[in-house]
Amino acid sequence: MLVLRLLNVVAPAYFLCISLVTFVLQIFLFIPSMFRDPSTTPLFSPALLHGALFLFLSANALGNYVLVIQSSPEDLGKSLNLGEGTEVVADWLDGSRFPGSALPNTHYCRLCARVTQRHDHHCFFTGNCIGSKNMRNFVMFCLYTSLACLDSLVAGMAYISAALSMSFANPLAFLTLLPHSISQFFSGALLSSEMFVILMLYLWLGIGLACAGFCCHQMLLILRGQTRYQVRKGMVVRARPWRENLQEVFGKRWLLGLLIPVLNVGSDYRGQKEK
């Protein structure tokens, strides 16, 4: 448990550091050095267009990241008057339902120390539980993070291609880039800044693929009306049309959530709570 609590603190700091490094490399290295074209007008210059795209992706990724943390699932143990103390916690830990609870699909999180509605999983990179209240923001966070990493990967490959006078037309060139760069770096033929960019290329690739996988898997569960916790515990859910499952998570203003970071809107949990 101590290791998990430590990871819950280190992972968000690691993500913010990677975001800051990516922003600095894009704005102060890639864009000024690789996207200058005197033949184009300043309004439609590649540097301006690429910068606008990167800022759009980054703003959505960081905006939804903040909303995932801000819209933390409510502690139903307090709102439903479940009480406090180790006895109540033990009832949730062993899977039994407390008599005062009227809502299904609740779960007690050890790290957050609270009972959440439609608990999906605990995200260490946000240090928060993912539930019915912040599911849409989490999906958008994964989507735009993967796109921002892809954008940085392409820009970084263009920078390395020009700096080292090499071509990535052959897919094996990227796979063999790291071992060749390490040997050149220790022999003094490669600058430290170029080696750092090469390491960031593989980091962007890994983070981008991981976030894309999380996003696709989460969307599949949403279409089925399930959560990861329900799948892990083998719980059976009521079959519903996939459109209703999507609307439950993304709401009626789903298009707005694709363009700008907005808070999650209406869910079945609110209706149940009002009843």
Side-chain angles (χ1 to χ4, degrees):
M1 180 60 66
L2 180 61
V3 176
L4 294 179
R5 293 188 181 276
L6 181 61
L7 182 62
N8 203 42
V9 176
V10 174
Y14 172 78
F15 172 79
L16 293 177
C17 289
I18 295 299
S19 302
L20 179 60
V21 171
T22 302
F23 180 83
V24 172
L25 288 177
Q26 282 271 18
I27 299 300
F28 297 103
L29 184 62
F30 297 160
I31 295 177
S33 62
M34 296 304 302
F35 296 94
R36 290 179 178 175
D37 188 0
S39 62
T40 59
T41 58
L43 182 60
F44 299 101
S45 63
L48 182 60
L49 295 178
H50 176 81
L53 175 61
F54 173 72
L55 291 178
F56 171 76
L57 298 176
S58 300
N60 275 277
L62 293 177
N64 283 286
Y65 179 81
V66 172
L67 291 179
V68 169
I69 300 176
Q70 181 181 357
S71 304
S72 58
E74 185 179 0
D75 187 357
L76 299 182
K78 297 180 180 179
S79 61
L80 296 176
N81 297 322
L82 297 182
E84 298 179 354
T86 57
E87 296 181 357
V88 175
V89 173
D91 290 337
W92 288 102
L93 290 178
D94 62 12
S96 61
R97 184 172 305 282
F98 193 81
S101 176
L103 296 178
N105 302 327
T106 49
H107 173 68
Y108 178 83
C109 178
R110 297 171 182 264
L111 296 175
C112 295
R114 60 189 171 194
V115 181
T116 58
Q117 169 72 5
R118 285 191 63 83
H119 175 88
D120 189 85
H121 68 284
H122 183 90
C123 177
F124 289 98
F125 283 99
T126 60
N128 201 5
C129 280
I130 307 301
S132 59
K133 194 175 181 181
N134 56 2
M135 176 62 70
R136 180 177 71 168
N137 296 121
F138 176 76
V139 173
M140 291 295 101
F141 162 68
C142 292
L143 173 63
Y144 279 105
T145 299
S146 63
L147 293 177
C149 288
L150 175 62
D151 178 85
S152 301
L153 177 63
V154 173
M157 292 176 63
Y159 173 80
I160 292 298
S161 178
L164 302 182
S165 300
M166 62 177 300
S167 174
F168 288 99
N170 186 357
L172 294 178
F174 183 80
L175 298 178
T176 59
L177 175 63
L178 183 59
H180 291 168
S181 301
I182 294 177
S183 61
Q184 292 179 1
F185 175 74
F186 286 105
S187 63
L190 191 66
L191 298 177
S192 57
S193 59
E194 296 171 347
M195 185 64 201
F196 180 75
V197 172
I198 292 174
L199 293 176
M200 290 298 299
L201 292 180
Y202 290 92
L203 186 60
W204 287 325
L205 177 63
I207 295 177
L209 291 178
C211 289
F214 288 149
C215 183
C216 293
H217 183 242
Q218 204 68 56
M219 285 300 302
L220 180 61
L221 293 178
I222 291 174
L223 290 173
R224 294 176 177 177
Q226 292 179 307
T227 63
R228 296 187 190 181
Y229 178 75
Q230 291 174 337
V231 173
R232 188 169 67 252
K233 293 297 183 179
M235 298 180 179
V236 180
V237 297
R238 181 172 59 91
R240 297 189 310 174
W242 61 271
R243 293 181 182 272
E244 294 183 8
N245 296 329
L246 283 178
Q247 185 173 348
E248 179 184 4
V249 175
F250 293 93
K252 298 181 179 180
R253 297 181 297 174
W254 60 270
L255 183 58
L256 181 64
L258 288 177
L259 300 177
I260 58 175
V262 293
L263 289 173
N264 202 358
V265 292
S267 63
D268 288 347
Y269 159 64
R270 288 183 181 178
Q272 294 176 10
K273 185 178 179 181
E274 290 176 359
K275 292 180 182 180

